[in-house]
Amino acid sequence: NIKNEGRRNAIASSGRSAAGAPYAIGYDKPTVTKTGSISAEIGYGDNNKMGKLGTLLEFGGGRDHSPPHRDLSRALEAEEPRFQSALANMTKGLL
């Protein structure tokens, strides 16, 4: 959900010079550690020329001092309540 919404946000906010950057957004499969925590990365891939613009697009900067777009951050914030609700629904029968 975060990848797809982040990509939609980036398509809407990227100019022509970074039009390919939204398609460099990807993710890795979640992993579970020995302690039981879950980890995954979602972001602009460095293996793509346009993906290298991700940091500038997300956090701003560059020669023109562009403001941050926060495309992925906004997608993460939008997903948080849905994620919490899903976790609550999963644990209802456990308590």
Side-chain angles (χ1 to χ4, degrees):
N1 291 344
I2 297 167
K3 178 198 81 160
N4 292 332
E5 187 166 344
R7 186 173 283 170
R8 283 191 297 273
N9 291 343
I11 288 168
S13 70
S14 296
R16 282 192 338 212
S17 61
Y23 303 101
I25 296 173
Y27 66 97
D28 64 358
K29 292 205 175 213
T31 58
V32 180
T33 66
K34 291 179 182 179
T35 61
S37 65
I38 300 171
S39 173
E41 287 190 28
I42 304 168
Y44 291 91
D46 287 339
N47 59 345
N48 181 313
K49 180 178 150 185
M50 285 284 127
K52 294 180 181 186
L53 293 173
T55 301
L56 292 174
L57 293 171
E58 189 68 17
F59 302 108
R63 281 183 270 175
D64 64 353
H65 303 289
S66 300
H69 294 189
R70 297 189 64 251
D71 298 320
L72 290 169
S73 299
R74 289 183 289 128
L76 179 63
E77 290 166 0
E79 182 63 22
E80 184 179 12
R82 296 186 292 252
F83 182 73
Q84 289 177 347
S85 177
L87 285 177
N89 289 337
M90 286 176 16
T91 59
K92 279 184 183 173
L94 299 175
L95 300 176

